[in-house]
Amino acid sequence: MFIDERIVTLFKRNAHHTLTYWSVFFSFGLCIAFLGPTILDLQCQTNSTLSQITWVFFSQQFCLLIGSSVGGVFKRTLFSALGALFVSALLISVIFAIIPVCNNVLVLAIAMAVSGLAMGVIDTIANIQLVTIYRKDSAIFLQALHFFIGFGALVSPLIADPFLSETGCGNHTGNETEIMHHFRSMLRYSPIAEHNITQSHLPHDGVEKEEPIVQYAFWIMALINLPVPIAVLFLMYRENLLPCCPGSTPRLLDKDELAMETQQGAEGPDLEQKEHEAGGHGSIFSCCQNDNLHGLPVSFFMIHILGGMVLFMTDGIVGAYAGFVYTYAVAPPMSLPNKTAGYLASIFWAAITAGRLLSIPLSYRFQPVRLLVFNLAGAIVTVLMLLIFYTSSIFLFVGTCLCGLFLSSIFPCMLAYTEDILDYQGCATSVLVTSAGMGEMVMQVLVGSIIQTEGSYSFLLCGMIIACIGFILFFSLLLFHRMHRNYLTGISKKSAMVEEPGADQNGSAKAEQKENDDTVTIS
């Protein structure tokens, strides 16, 4: 078989949990890409300016970062983890349903912020739960998990497109310079590139206003997302975590608590001390407040920091490329038509989806560190070729596809790699998820500001610089991995040396006792 029987058996044993976590990540992907194309319709709905409506999306990204940072606190029991996923997935459906009635930009910003918190909690908990379940075999399942983000991000614009108005607020202008001015102002803060913007929002008299129908798209999305919280609730029912439900049986302990006691009873107090010293998969704040971290080597902390910085750079490239490739394509020297350039963002997300699907079997055949080297090097070469052939529209489409393929699996590979280095005892998942979200938010604003001042060519130059920095940070991570491995080897040798004299002493005592017994017998 292509995948050995052990992996298949492991998946079958945890299939219900795994499929549920994959489904919530599909919901996460829908939220990432769906809201972007509706920005002009939401601007008309709230009677706000373009700069005001873009800060609404920034509020969602900021709260997503906060949700990712604090999401680890819900992992302590299976009940709290699944309960947080249920509430978060349900909130996303509720937010989609009420967005069409948010006629004030402040109310819309609050709604987006709540959805961002829910997405951040989903991001952290789903990653932590899969790593906890599969541990050293988690790479292939993490690749599949992040495939569903790309799949959701690919599907959502297709649902939105039929309901978007052709003329924004029903107004039209032929001033192409003004169109580009407002479009670039929007992308300075917007997380997703918009390919449906072909008209200006400036008012003109004598133009018939188009009846907005975008609310139907949001309501459809709310219905599509509704099975996700239902699936989480059903998993809680199957695990007997709903004492108020007639189908549940009374229990003294939660399943995960009982398993923890059994495991501690089998392995002794050393397991509890080991987990306490390492800190466990907690939130960023609980990791930092752990009093037992002072005895750990520098390499332990540097693995967390460098792993997070690599994802800060690479996920920042993903956010910046998705947000500004349209701007680069329609500006000189490329100067593509708006409709043609609009396909670039869809191609990028499609490549990410395909790359994550392809990485599922690859993660089974190759170690995560090898995939990381290949993907980081491939991303650098692709951006370099885009810089060289900056006037070729054909290579822009090819390069966009290749860039999405190489960047697609870096996050799950880095997550599996760092957790494996730390023997699943650190806070790597929480640190990496938070760093990735922070990088996506910061790089979008930074790259957008540079494009505004330096021109569209700086878009690719920024991507090249960021990719090279990420590659250097990754090799630094490899160096500290070797240092940490040497540290663990030294600890093992010291433990063996301490145990060996004790064994010799016990052996001498037994020999002496045996000699005395023989003497007594002879007498």
Side-chain angles (χ1 to χ4, degrees):
M1 294 179 63
F2 186 73
I3 299 179
D4 63 29
E5 192 65 27
R6 184 181 62 84
I7 298 294
V8 175
T9 302
L10 192 61
F11 171 72
K12 290 180 178 179
R13 189 184 307 159
N14 302 281
H16 197 172
H17 285 263
T18 305
L19 293 174
T20 302
Y21 300 142
W22 287 351
S23 69
V24 295
F25 252 48
F26 174 77
S27 175
F28 184 95
L30 292 176
C31 290
I32 286 181
F34 181 81
L35 298 176
T38 62
I39 187 169
L40 288 184
D41 295 271
L42 292 176
Q43 176 204 344
C44 301
Q45 176 182 304
T46 57
N47 295 318
S48 58
T49 64
L50 204 53
S51 60
Q52 289 173 334
I53 199 68
T54 52
W55 281 106
V56 170
F57 293 94
F58 179 82
S59 69
Q60 185 193 43
Q61 286 290 108
F62 181 73
C63 289
L64 190 155
L65 176 62
I66 295 177
S68 299
S69 302
V70 303
V73 301
F74 298 105
K75 66 92 196 179
R76 298 187 182 277
T77 65
L78 183 62
F79 174 77
S80 62
L82 293 179
L85 286 180
F86 169 73
V87 172
S88 300
L90 185 62
L91 274 176
I92 290 175
S93 284
V94 172
I95 294 300
F96 274 123
I98 67 174
I99 282 177
V101 298
C102 294
N103 295 321
N104 182 275
V105 68
L106 180 60
V107 176
L108 183 61
I110 295 173
M112 295 296 189
V114 173
S115 68
L117 286 173
M119 293 163 64
V121 171
I122 288 174
D123 195 9
T124 299
I125 292 180
N127 280 290
I128 287 178
Q129 290 298 106
L130 276 186
V131 169
T132 303
I133 291 174
Y134 294 104
R135 298 176 71 83
K136 290 185 179 297
D137 297 307
S138 61
I140 184 173
F141 299 100
L142 287 172
Q143 295 287 0
L145 180 73
H146 289 268
F147 158 77
F148 280 94
I149 289 185
F151 183 56
L154 176 63
V155 169
S156 56
L158 301 178
I159 300 174
D161 280 343
F163 301 97
L164 299 178
S165 59
E166 295 290 338
T167 57
C169 293
N171 306 310
H172 176 75
T173 180
N175 191 339
E176 296 296 330
T177 305
E178 192 69 10
I179 293 174
M180 284 305 302
H181 171 74
H182 288 289
F183 181 78
R184 291 183 176 181
S185 298
M186 179 202 68
L187 285 181
R188 183 171 183 173
Y189 300 105
S190 175
I192 303 294
E194 312 305 330
H195 62 272
N196 296 290
I197 302 174
T198 58
Q199 310 293 342
S200 174
H201 69 286
L202 295 179
H204 284 261
D205 296 332
V207 179
E208 184 180 356
K209 186 174 181 179
E210 182 182 354
E211 185 69 21
I213 58 173
V214 71
Q215 66 269 19
Y216 297 112
F218 286 103
W219 291 335
I220 291 173
M221 282 304 304
L223 290 175
I224 290 177
N225 185 70
L226 196 56
V228 175
I230 295 175
V232 178
L233 192 64
F234 181 65
L235 178 60
M236 296 177 70
Y237 171 79
R238 285 282 304 272
E239 294 294 333
N240 293 330
L241 298 177
L242 299 175
C244 61
C245 184
S248 297
T249 57
R251 67 194 190 289
L252 296 177
L253 290 174
D254 287 341
K255 179 180 178 181
D256 50 343
E257 293 174 349
L258 181 60
M260 185 179 297
E261 287 193 359
T262 304
Q263 188 177 12
Q264 289 178 356
E267 301 186 22
D270 292 339
L271 176 64
E272 182 179 359
Q273 181 179 1
K274 188 178 181 181
E275 290 181 351
H276 181 63
E277 289 177 355
H281 295 287
S283 66
I284 292 293
F285 307 106
S286 63
C287 292
C288 296
Q289 294 173 358
N290 195 328
D291 296 332
N292 295 296
L293 293 178
H294 65 275
L296 296 172
V298 175
S299 58
F300 178 86
F301 301 99
M302 291 305 299
I303 289 171
H304 286 83
I305 294 173
L306 290 173
M309 289 301 298
V310 171
L311 288 186
F312 182 92
M313 299 298 172
T314 55
D315 268 50
I317 295 176
V318 172
Y321 199 94
F324 299 107
V325 65
Y326 182 99
T327 305
Y328 172 77
V330 298
M334 195 65 65
S335 300
L336 292 178
N338 289 4
K339 180 168 287 189
T340 303
Y343 292 113
L344 287 168
S346 298
I347 290 174
F348 182 70
W349 282 113
I352 288 180
T353 305
R356 286 171 175 170
L357 182 62
L358 181 63
S359 297
I360 295 174
L362 289 178
S363 62
Y364 171 72
R365 294 292 182 183
F366 301 99
Q367 293 294 325
V369 63
R370 295 187 178 182
L371 293 177
L372 284 169
V373 172
F374 177 76
N375 288 332
L376 287 169
I380 292 176
V381 172
T382 300
V383 178
L384 179 61
M385 296 299 291
L386 286 170
L387 277 169
I388 295 174
F389 300 104
Y390 68 97
T391 58
S392 173
S393 59
I394 295 177
F395 191 79
L396 177 61
F397 282 87
V398 175
T400 298
C401 183
L402 291 176
C403 196
L405 287 173
F406 287 122
L407 292 172
S408 60
S409 61
I410 290 180
F411 182 92
C413 284
M414 180 61 69
L415 187 59
Y417 175 59
T418 51
E419 287 285 12
D420 190 32
I421 294 174
L422 301 171
D423 199 20
Y424 307 90
Q425 299 168 24
C427 295
T429 299
S430 297
V431 171
L432 296 185
V433 170
T434 303
S435 300
M438 187 180 297
E440 188 171 350
M441 181 183 67
V442 171
M443 289 302 176
Q444 286 168 355
V445 177
L446 179 63
V447 173
S449 301
I450 295 175
I451 292 176
Q452 280 293 115
T453 56
E454 303 298 332
S456 62
Y457 188 77
S458 59
F459 163 68
L460 294 177
L461 191 60
C462 288
M464 185 67 187
I465 295 173
I466 295 171
C468 290
I469 293 175
F471 199 68
I472 294 172
L473 291 171
F474 175 70
F475 270 94
S476 301
L477 175 62
L478 295 179
L479 176 63
F480 279 99
H481 177 199
R482 175 171 294 185
M483 293 174 57
H484 191 68
R485 185 171 53 193
N486 294 337
Y487 166 80
L488 295 178
T489 303
I491 292 295
S492 300
K493 290 181 178 179
K494 288 181 181 179
S495 300
M497 293 175 63
V498 170
E499 292 176 359
E500 186 175 354
D504 293 342
Q505 186 176 1
N506 292 336
S508 300
K510 290 180 180 178
E512 184 178 355
Q513 180 66 32
K514 183 177 181 181
E515 183 178 349
N516 293 337
D517 293 342
D518 293 342
T519 303
V520 172
T521 303
I522 294 174
S523 300

